[in-house]
């Protein structure tokens, strides 16, 4: 068994918020016999299951780390056992409410919503704030946008630095709060405690970081793959799932 492989999901294994292709799924199933595999994503488990499918998750990954590693599922189940459930078991979870008062949380959410209200985007939809217990997901266009609206926002964000500007504002506004702001995928910002970035997953990974290889698309300042890529022995900056396929063929 060589090094452990750690994968990001959106933009790496799949196109953002899309299901995995047969080709990438095939490569993962092949490699899992010779490598320990982990998934570390900003998303919650419901989205992981929607995009990868329960069977692939259980056959490929040893553990799945959601919300940047703050919610952990054991997916290494004995699939031949009879009479047992094949539901991944949640083995670790942290909660912002253990570290912030309700008044602080209310204040944080109010500031986010005020910023969204004043900000200009071509479309404003719904669900600007998604509460995920260990993480607040904040989107300036709103998580209810269509795929076309999402693509439109992603282009605008690249051109205007919309999310970078928002992060710079929040970092000033919440100085001293011990919060961390990271661009997860295309349209949102993951907000959590400093230190609860993807490197937090190593709290529940047996291998030392230098024995791990990371695959992610968001290895840029303020990107949520930045810290974990720097910590792993080796990393690949993945352009998209097709590019990942090329890399996986070398494993
Ligand atoms: O998994 C990466 C990100 O996926 C979504 O991002 P977006 O909707 O912005 O493309 C979110 O679930 C986000 O939390 C997550 O980090």
């Amino acid at each position: 068994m060589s090094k452990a492989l750690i994968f990001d999901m959106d933009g790496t294994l799949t196109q953002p918020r899309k299901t995995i292709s047969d080709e990438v799924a095939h490569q993962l199933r092949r490699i899992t016999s010779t490598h320990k595999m982990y998934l570390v994503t900003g998303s919650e488990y419901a989205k992981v299951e929607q995009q990868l499918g329960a069977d692939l998750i259980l056959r490929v990954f040893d553990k799945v780390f959601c919300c940047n590693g703050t919610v952990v599922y054991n997916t290494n189940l004995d699939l031949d056992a009879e009479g047992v459930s094949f539901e991944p078991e949640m083995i670790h979870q942290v909660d912002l409410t253990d570290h912030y008062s309700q008044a602080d949380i209310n204040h944080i959410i109010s500031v986010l919503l005020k910023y969204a209200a004043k900000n200009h985007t071509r479309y404003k939809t719904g669900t600007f704030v998604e509460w995920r217990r260990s993480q607040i997901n904040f989107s300036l266009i709103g998580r209810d946008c269509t795929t076309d609206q999402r693509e439109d926002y992603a282009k605008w964000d690249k051109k205007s630095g919309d999310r970078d500007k928002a992060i710079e504002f929040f970092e000033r506004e919440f100085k001293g709060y011990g919060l961390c702001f990271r661009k997860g995928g295309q349209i949102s910002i993951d907000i959590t405690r400093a230190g609860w970035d993807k490197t937090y997953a190593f709290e529940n990974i047996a291998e030392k970081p230098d024995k791990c290889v990371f695959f992610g698309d968001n290895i840029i300042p303020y990107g949520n793959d930045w810290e974990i890529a720097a910590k792993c022995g080796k990393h690949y900056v993945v352009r998209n799932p097709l590019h990942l396929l090329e890399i996986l063929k070398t494993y």
Side-chain angles (χ1 to χ4, degrees):
M1 185 79 58
S2 66
K3 297 181 175 183
L5 308 186
I6 305 178
F7 294 88
D8 163 55
M9 183 173 71
D10 290 272
T12 302
L13 292 182
T14 71
Q15 293 290 359
R17 294 292 295 116
K18 298 289 181 198
T19 53
I20 193 163
S21 70
D22 290 345
E23 291 81 4
V24 174
H26 173 75
Q27 289 299 325
L28 294 182
R29 285 178 197 268
R30 182 182 63 77
I31 296 167
T32 199
S33 57
T34 47
H35 295 80
K36 184 83 87 63
M37 317 251 283
Y38 300 107
L39 180 76
V40 184
T41 172
S43 287
E44 337 85 286
Y45 192 78
K47 292 195 177 81
V48 176
E49 198 170 74
Q50 206 181 63
Q51 291 174 234
L52 304 189
D55 184 70
L56 185 79
I57 295 169
L58 294 177
R59 289 189 190 278
V60 167
F61 297 107
D62 208 64
K63 285 182 186 150
V64 169
F65 297 82
C66 295
C67 298
N68 293 334
T70 55
V71 186
V72 187
Y73 293 84
N74 173 27
T75 49
N76 182 5
L77 308 180
D78 179 0
L79 298 178
D80 296 324
E82 284 179 21
V84 295
S85 142
F86 295 134
E87 277 300 304
E89 181 199 0
M90 191 202 283
I91 53 172
H92 182 84
Q93 172 159 49
V94 287
D95 202 313
L96 286 170
T97 58
D98 292 332
H99 300 270
Y100 295 92
S101 67
Q102 191 58 50
D104 277 345
I105 288 170
N106 291 353
H107 175 64
I108 294 166
I109 292 177
S110 299
V111 171
L112 298 178
L113 290 174
K114 265 187 225 154
Y115 190 95
K118 283 200 183 144
N119 192 54
H120 167 79
T121 50
R122 198 195 311 268
Y123 306 101
K124 283 189 204 276
T125 65
T127 317
F128 297 92
V129 171
E130 191 170 79
W131 174 255
R132 297 179 181 171
R133 292 181 65 175
S134 58
Q135 182 190 75
I136 298 169
N137 182 263
F138 174 60
S139 172
L140 286 159
I141 174 175
R143 299 208 59 78
D144 293 344
C145 59
T146 63
T147 303
D148 285 350
Q149 291 168 338
R150 168 182 275 274
E151 295 300 335
D152 183 77
Y153 178 80
K155 265 193 218 140
W156 158 249
D157 178 55
K158 253 194 196 134
K159 191 171 160 194
S160 66
D162 199 38
R163 288 185 296 172
D164 287 336
K165 284 182 203 153
I167 290 176
E168 281 160 21
F169 173 82
F170 296 138
E171 280 184 340
R172 285 196 303 275
E173 188 71 15
F174 295 116
K175 200 159 184 261
Y177 273 64
L179 288 170
C180 145
F181 303 86
R182 290 288 174 266
K183 291 187 285 187
Q186 289 178 300
I187 57 155
S188 62
I189 299 169
D190 290 329
I191 303 168
T192 191
R193 282 186 83 208
W196 288 2
D197 57 68
K198 286 192 178 184
T199 59
Y200 185 81
F202 285 112
E203 301 276 321
N204 291 285
I205 289 180
E207 292 77 13
K208 294 263 170 284
D210 64 322
K211 295 279 174 265
C212 296
V213 182
F214 178 73
F215 303 79
D217 68 315
N218 216 355
I219 306 174
I220 48 168
Y222 288 143
N224 69 347
D225 293 334
W226 182 252
E227 289 88 355
I228 192 167
K231 199 159 181 170
C232 284
K234 183 172 180 177
H235 70 259
Y236 290 94
V237 182
V238 178
R239 290 194 296 275
N240 52 45
L242 272 182
H243 180 217
L244 177 73
L245 266 183
E246 294 311 310
I247 301 168
L248 292 186
K249 283 178 189 161
T250 66
Y251 276 81

